[in-house]
């Protein structure tokens, strides 16, 4: 016979506790941040945590972890017995060897299947993911304005100073003049960007870690972006216009060169060029039509995480 409680604490919930996935990414690197968020959108029943808790200090460890670009975090989690998928999210000119301990993780490299090689050998037997596309492929019908998506992570200080003190302000002014508003989102050195654009009407500067970049793009007419994999995936998945900002550093230059061999992405070298601001420009992605399955990279990584949470290796 059941006994009814007349008060006090509620009984604990019945059934197994929800499985938990810890997500670790670099907030100050655009590719790392976007990759983690896009994969997280497909984790289904897994309970997601991003606060770093559950690593043995504040409670039981998570059932599985996605670590973007952080060998040290991977090693700490592996030492706790947590199965880890470690993702290299951004384009690299050279490959950094893994620490011996980090080789115990499953390794993935964000790389579209259509992006031309050759490529250096991937460490730890890493497999490529294809495109880490946004979960929402559609765009708003009443979209307007320009999204200027800027990655300054790892860029040489001299390149950053030249760009922010001259070209950036010209681009923002032209964007406001032609599209009424300019949303500037950057991953790091945000105060430097704000200072460069101070006093400009119609311009808003945001930190990528505090902004839903993919949702913002869905409601924006034009995208001008640093040559990064996260930006390319965003535009390709939505078949949206894209122009590259001047590349900052070797990795951005190398990626821009490789993309140019597969798709004709204009370069925002002249802010006054009318073609740069044409939302009806020809489809940049027509030559990549055969790679539709390549857009499911985020789903594939998320499926691996769900499987590991049930049956760790």
């Amino acid at each position: 016979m059941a006994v009814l409680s007349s008060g006090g604490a509620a009984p604990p919930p019945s059934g197994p506790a929800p499985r938990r996935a810890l997500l670790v990414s670099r907030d100050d690197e655009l590719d790392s941040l976007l990759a983690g968020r896009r994969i997280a959108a497909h984790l289904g029943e897994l309970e997601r945590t991003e606060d770093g808790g559950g690593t043995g200090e504040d409670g039981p460890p998570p059932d599985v972890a996605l670590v973007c670009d952080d060998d040290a975090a991977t090693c700490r989690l592996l030492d706790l017995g947590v199965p880890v998928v470690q993702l290299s999210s951004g384009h690299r000119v050279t490959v950094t060897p893994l620490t011996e301990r980090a080789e115990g993780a499953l390794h993935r490299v964000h790389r579209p299947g259509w992006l031309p090689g050759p490529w250096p050998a991937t460490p730890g037997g890493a497999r490529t993911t294809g495109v880490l596309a946004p979960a929402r492929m559609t765009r708003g019908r009443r979209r307007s304005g320009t999204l200027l998506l800027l990655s300054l992570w790892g860029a040489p200080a001299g390149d950053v100073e030249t760009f922010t003190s001259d070209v950036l302000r010209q681009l923002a002014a032209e964007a406001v003049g032609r599209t009424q508003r300019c949303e500037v989102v950057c991953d790091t050195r945000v105060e430097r960007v704000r200072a460069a654009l101070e006093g400009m009407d119609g311009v808003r500067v945001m930190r990528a870690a505090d902004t839903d970049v993919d949702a913002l793009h869905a409601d924006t007419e034009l995208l001008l972006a640093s040559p990064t994999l996260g930006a390319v995936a965003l535009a390709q998945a939505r078949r949206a216009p894209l122009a590259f900002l001047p590349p900052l550093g070797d990795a951005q230059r190398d990626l821009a060169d490789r993309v140019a061999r597969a798709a004709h992405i204009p370069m925002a070298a002249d802010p006054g060029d009318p073609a740069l601001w044409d939302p009806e420009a020809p489809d940049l992605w027509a030559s990549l039509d055969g790679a539709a399955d390549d857009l499911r990279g985020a789903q594939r990584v998320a499926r691996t995480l769900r499987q590991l949470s049930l049956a760790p290796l």
Side-chain angles (χ1 to χ4, degrees), residues 97-206:
L98 297 170
T99 60
E100 182 178 353
R101 187 70 187 92
E103 292 181 358
L106 292 182
H107 295 275
R108 300 290 182 265
V109 176
H110 183 195
R111 185 182 300 157
W114 53 264
L115 194 62
W119 303 103
T122 53
R127 294 167 53 186
T128 58
T129 63
V131 177
L132 298 179
R136 175 187 171 190
M137 298 286 196
T138 57
R139 301 171 73 201
R141 292 185 178 182
R142 297 184 179 181
R143 55 188 181 270
S144 64
T146 298
L147 171 59
L148 202 156
L149 189 55
L150 180 60
S151 178
L152 300 180
W153 184 87
D159 288 3
V160 172
E161 183 60 29
T162 299
F163 177 76
T164 55
S165 62
D166 183 21
V167 182
L168 175 61
R169 194 172 178 90
Q170 294 180 46
L171 285 168
E174 200 71 31
V176 172
R178 292 179 181 272
T179 68
Q180 285 70 61
R181 63 188 178 93
C182 180
E183 310 281 7
V184 181
V185 178
C186 51
D187 48 12
T188 189
R189 306 181 194 181
V190 181
E191 293 310 314
R192 176 69 189 93
V193 173
R194 284 202 175 102
L197 300 174
E198 187 176 5
M200 295 189 69
D201 292 335
V203 177
R204 181 170 60 150
V205 179
M206 294 164 282

Side-chain angles (χ1 to χ4, degrees), residues 22 25 36 65 70 72 74 81 84 104 144 159 187 190 194 205 209 211 222-223 262 287 291 301:
L22 175 65
S25 62
D70 190 337
T74 292
V84 176
S144 64
D159 288 3
D187 48 12
V190 181
R194 284 202 175 102
V205 179
T211 308
L222 294 174
L223 173 62
S287 61
V301 176

